[in-house]
Amino acid sequence: MILNVLRRNTGDVARYALCICKRSPKTVSNSSRSFHQGRSNKTGSCRVSISAVNLNLTRSKQLLSFETDLCKASQRSFRTSNALWDDVRTVVVPPFADSITEGDVRWGKVVGATVVEDEVIANIETDKTSIPVPSPGAGIIEELLVADGTTVKPGTPLFKIKITGGGGKKADAPAAAKAAPSAAPPPPPPPEPKPAAATTPIPSTPPPPPPRPSEPKASVPAAAVKPQPAAAPPRAPAPPPPKGVDITTKITGSRTEQRVKMNRMRQRIAERLKEAQNTNAMLTTFNEVDMSNIVELRKTHGEAFAKKHNFKLSFMSPFVKACAYALVDAPVVNAVIEGQDIVYRDYVDISVAVATPKGLVVPVMRNCENMNYVDVERGMAQLAEKARKNQLAIEDMDGGTFTISNGGVFGSMFGTPIINPPQSAILGMHGIFERPVVVKGQIVIRPMMYVALTYDHRLIDGREAVTFLRKIKSAVEDPRTILLDL
């Protein structure tokens, strides 16, 4: 059908062009005023007609070529491939931050485990944080290319996964762990009682007397006989700890020892703390804070605060705001020694120490001098959420000009914190306990908290440290002093 249409269209075009050529001389002769003008017009008309014919013929050839290709394509056989869903992918170590070059692998899955897309297969423990390695898709883990605890660098192949494309559920535990313990063998049957021995006949004659000894035996006095100690039974070796019990979190009493490699984060924490002791001339000053006004503030406005902002008003925001206020007033506490120079910063970035199962981390809140209580609580809520999900990045913990450590959440009453290098001071908060105190000559019961400021005595003098801590005390006990800039 397509060929017939093309032939019909081609004939129409040819006839149309012929009519134009036949009609052109008459039109030219009637309208021409000179021979040259008429000759020119005639030639132009014929050229236009011939061009139109050539253009339509070219298009017809293109349509015929397209029809031929279409017929050939219809005779081909198409074949699909299932490699899209059943391909095996090799996952490599993701890139690290500029300050990190390597890390240790900690596997969370085993070979044969079924995983879903974005499920964490392993974690790369580095000096500062733990980097998760998610699954690129739903599938089954086919091979682990490195052993647990191996030190790897970015780009190192980690594992192979077969992408199945299904939305399978997360694997609960290794097959070996979830296999039920085999039933205990039944106790052996009790032994059958032996039949009673047959009775023997009573002899008729008495037995012969025993022979007498030829010489009497020498008697030994009882005092000369030394008692022989009973041989102690051999001590059985201590049984190994039961399977599935983590000796690092539970003591079973099996009297065994297990050597566990220290993770990189703990190694880095140990190095930095020891570096702080070896470098800084640390000195600690103490004070106590009456928390009555803050406790009353939370009781009065805590519910409305949480309803409006969707997070609670904690005891940290008054201290963060008070520290930022005091640091602006005492720039030397916010400074740091670098070589033979003192570096003063005109911004306040406060690090808040957070305890995690893998170690102590100190995420940073930036520009705290411009924050109020709401901003502080919002920033801490975001950092706490990241810490719980193990999503803290290097950028979240980089920098910091001052640190606050709150041991009071664990019930600590008193302690001396260690400076977080390269900073010059750290504030230690402790638990709130009711104690008798003297107020205007009267003994009253107040909720009190001990606070400790550890500072680098190479840079900060005692007068400046004590004045700084007293300013924090004043700002927490009466936040109105911040509003009045007192």
Side-chain angles (χ1 to χ4, degrees):
M1 183 178 64
I2 296 177
L3 290 174
N4 294 332
V5 172
L6 291 176
R7 294 191 187 99
R8 190 183 308 116
N9 292 339
T10 306
D12 293 341
V13 171
R15 286 194 294 272
Y16 174 73
L18 182 60
C19 291
I20 292 177
C21 292
K22 289 181 178 179
R23 192 170 52 187
S24 296
K26 183 178 180 180
T27 304
V28 173
S29 62
N30 293 334
S31 60
S32 62
R33 295 184 179 180
S34 64
F35 173 78
H36 297 285
Q37 184 178 1
R39 185 178 182 87
S40 176
N41 291 337
K42 181 179 178 180
T43 305
S45 300
C46 291
R47 287 178 180 175
V48 172
S49 301
I50 294 172
S51 299
V53 173
N54 292 335
L55 178 61
N56 284 277
L57 289 175
T58 302
R59 292 179 178 175
S60 300
K61 291 180 179 180
Q62 292 177 351
L63 291 174
L64 288 173
S65 177
F66 171 75
E67 182 189 14
T68 304
D69 295 340
L70 184 63
C71 294
K72 291 181 179 180
S74 63
Q75 298 175 358
R76 296 176 185 174
S77 59
F78 292 93
R79 182 179 59 184
T80 59
S81 174
N82 59 353
L84 179 61
W85 298 116
D86 291 339
D87 62 334
V88 177
R89 302 184 189 178
T90 300
V91 180
V92 300
V93 178
F96 298 155
D98 295 338
S99 59
I100 299 177
T101 58
E102 59 185 12
D104 294 340
V105 178
R106 298 297 178 189
W107 290 110
K109 300 294 180 181
V110 297
V111 176
T114 302
V115 297
V116 298
E117 187 175 1
D118 294 333
E119 184 176 356
V120 177
I121 308 299
N123 286 278
I124 310 297
E125 294 182 351
T126 65
D127 298 345
K128 299 181 180 180
T129 186
S130 180
I131 302 174
V133 181
S135 171
I140 302 174
I141 298 177
E142 287 204 337
E143 183 180 0
L144 303 181
L145 303 179
V146 295
D148 188 77
T150 304
T151 301
V152 295
K153 295 183 179 180
T156 303
L158 283 179
F159 63 93
K160 293 183 179 180
I161 179 171
K162 183 178 182 180
I163 303 298
T164 59
K169 298 181 180 180
K170 295 183 178 180
D172 297 333
K178 63 183 179 181
S182 57
E192 297 180 0
K194 296 181 179 180
T199 55
T200 58
I202 300 175
S204 57
T205 57
R212 295 182 178 179
S214 57
E215 294 182 358
K217 295 182 179 180
S219 62
V220 180
V225 178
K226 295 181 180 181
Q228 298 293 335
R235 187 174 182 178
K243 294 183 179 180
V245 176
D246 188 2
I247 196 173
T248 62
T249 59
K250 185 177 180 180
I251 295 180
T252 60
S254 58
R255 299 194 62 80
T256 59
E257 295 180 356
Q258 182 177 353
R259 188 179 297 272
V260 179
K261 182 181 178 180
M262 187 183 299
N263 60 54
R264 284 185 169 268
M265 185 179 295
R266 176 55 59 185
Q267 292 179 16
R268 185 58 177 165
I269 292 172
E271 292 174 2
R272 288 176 61 84
L273 293 179
K274 192 58 182 176
E275 176 188 352
Q277 286 185 328
N278 296 338
T279 303
N280 301 322
M282 290 190 295
L283 189 62
T284 306
T285 183
F286 305 93
N287 214 318
E288 60 181 358
V289 180
D290 186 353
M291 301 294 294
S292 301
N293 290 334
I294 299 299
V295 172
E296 184 65 25
L297 177 66
R298 296 180 74 242
K299 288 182 179 179
T300 305
H301 303 288
E303 184 176 352
F305 184 92
K307 185 176 180 180
K308 180 177 181 180
H309 301 290
N310 296 324
F311 44 79
K312 296 182 179 180
L313 177 63
S314 67
F315 290 105
M316 283 296 297
S317 52
F319 276 92
V320 172
K321 182 59 182 177
C323 289
Y325 176 67
L327 287 169
V328 172
D329 191 63
V332 68
V333 184
N334 200 50
V336 65
I337 295 177
E338 288 187 3
Q340 302 297 325
D341 301 326
I342 300 176
V343 179
Y344 290 89
R345 281 79 66 95
D346 64 345
Y347 55 89
V348 177
D349 293 349
I350 295 182
S351 306
V352 181
V354 179
T356 65
K358 295 184 178 181
L360 184 70
V361 295
V362 280
V364 182
M365 290 190 295
R366 316 287 179 182
N367 299 321
C368 294
E369 72 277 9
N370 300 324
M371 291 184 175
N372 54 26
Y373 284 11
V374 178
D375 298 331
V376 172
E377 293 293 349
R378 182 181 294 109
M380 293 188 57
Q382 294 173 355
L383 293 176
E385 183 69 16
K386 286 185 177 181
R388 282 193 296 268
K389 295 182 178 180
N390 196 24
Q391 295 178 350
L392 285 175
I394 302 299
E395 295 78 10
D396 296 326
M397 296 179 286
D398 188 23
T401 62
F402 187 79
T403 299
I404 299 177
S405 176
N406 185 10
V409 296
F410 306 108
S412 172
M413 182 178 181
F414 204 76
T416 57
I418 298 178
I419 294 175
N420 179 26
Q423 301 172 9
S424 299
I426 180 174
L427 178 72
M429 298 170 53
H430 301 92
I432 301 175
F433 302 98
E434 291 186 346
R435 297 198 306 270
V437 294
V438 178
V439 178
K440 297 181 180 180
Q442 301 292 327
I443 299 178
V444 295
I445 304 298
R446 294 289 180 86
M448 304 297 293
M449 175 193 290
Y450 288 117
V451 291
L453 177 70
T454 300
Y455 57 97
D456 188 357
H457 208 353
R458 299 178 303 163
L459 177 63
I460 305 171
D461 296 330
R463 176 181 63 86
E464 296 166 334
V466 173
T467 304
F468 175 79
L469 188 57
R470 284 184 59 85
K471 199 170 191 67
I472 294 176
K473 169 184 169 68
S474 176
V476 173
E477 291 182 343
D478 190 1
R480 295 174 295 179
T481 59
I482 301 178
L483 300 177
L484 299 175
D485 194 15
L486 300 177

